[in-house]
PDB file of all heavy atoms in Angstrom:
ATOM      1  N   SER V  20      23.612  91.146 -35.363  1.00  0.00           N
ATOM      2  CA  SER V  20      23.618  89.853 -34.680  1.00  0.00           C
ATOM      3  C   SER V  20      24.229  89.956 -33.288  1.00  0.00           C
ATOM      4  O   SER V  20      24.334  88.961 -32.584  1.00  0.00           O
ATOM      5  CB  SER V  20      24.409  88.822 -35.491  1.00  0.00           C
ATOM      6  OG  SER V  20      25.737  89.265 -35.669  1.00  0.00           O
ATOM      7  N   LYS V  59      18.395  78.028 -40.647  1.00  0.00           N
ATOM      8  CA  LYS V  59      18.265  79.128 -41.605  1.00  0.00           C
ATOM      9  C   LYS V  59      16.918  79.001 -42.302  1.00  0.00           C
ATOM     10  O   LYS V  59      16.480  77.901 -42.663  1.00  0.00           O
ATOM     11  CB  LYS V  59      19.392  79.089 -42.636  1.00  0.00           C
ATOM     12  CG  LYS V  59      20.777  79.351 -42.060  1.00  0.00           C
ATOM     13  CD  LYS V  59      21.840  79.380 -43.158  1.00  0.00           C
ATOM     14  CE  LYS V  59      23.237  79.511 -42.561  1.00  0.00           C
ATOM     15  NZ  LYS V  59      23.408  80.798 -41.842  1.00  0.00           N
ATOM     16  N   ALA V 227       1.684  87.221  -0.062  1.00  0.00           N
ATOM     17  CA  ALA V 227       0.471  86.629  -0.626  1.00  0.00           C
ATOM     18  C   ALA V 227      -0.691  87.605  -0.534  1.00  0.00           C
ATOM     19  O   ALA V 227      -0.788  88.417   0.381  1.00  0.00           O
ATOM     20  CB  ALA V 227       0.138  85.344   0.126  1.00  0.00           C
ATOM     21  N   SER V 303     -11.304  70.078 -21.475  1.00  0.00           N
ATOM     22  CA  SER V 303     -10.057  69.373 -21.784  1.00  0.00           C
ATOM     23  C   SER V 303      -9.362  69.901 -23.024  1.00  0.00           C
ATOM     24  O   SER V 303      -8.200  69.560 -23.277  1.00  0.00           O
ATOM     25  CB  SER V 303     -10.337  67.878 -21.965  1.00  0.00           C
ATOM     26  OG  SER V 303     -11.223  67.654 -23.055  1.00  0.00           O
ATOM     27  N   MET V 329      -3.775  69.054 -17.098  1.00  0.00           N
ATOM     28  CA  MET V 329      -2.608  69.886 -16.806  1.00  0.00           C
ATOM     29  C   MET V 329      -1.353  69.038 -16.689  1.00  0.00           C
ATOM     30  O   MET V 329      -1.415  67.889 -16.244  1.00  0.00           O
ATOM     31  CB  MET V 329      -2.824  70.635 -15.479  1.00  0.00           C
ATOM     32  CG  MET V 329      -4.005  71.585 -15.497  1.00  0.00           C
ATOM     33  SD  MET V 329      -4.480  72.127 -13.823  1.00  0.00           S
ATOM     34  CE  MET V 329      -5.458  70.699 -13.321  1.00  0.00           C
TER      35      MET V 329
END
Side-chain angles (χ1 to χ4, degrees):
S20 59
K59 294 183 185 296
S303 62
M329 298 166 279

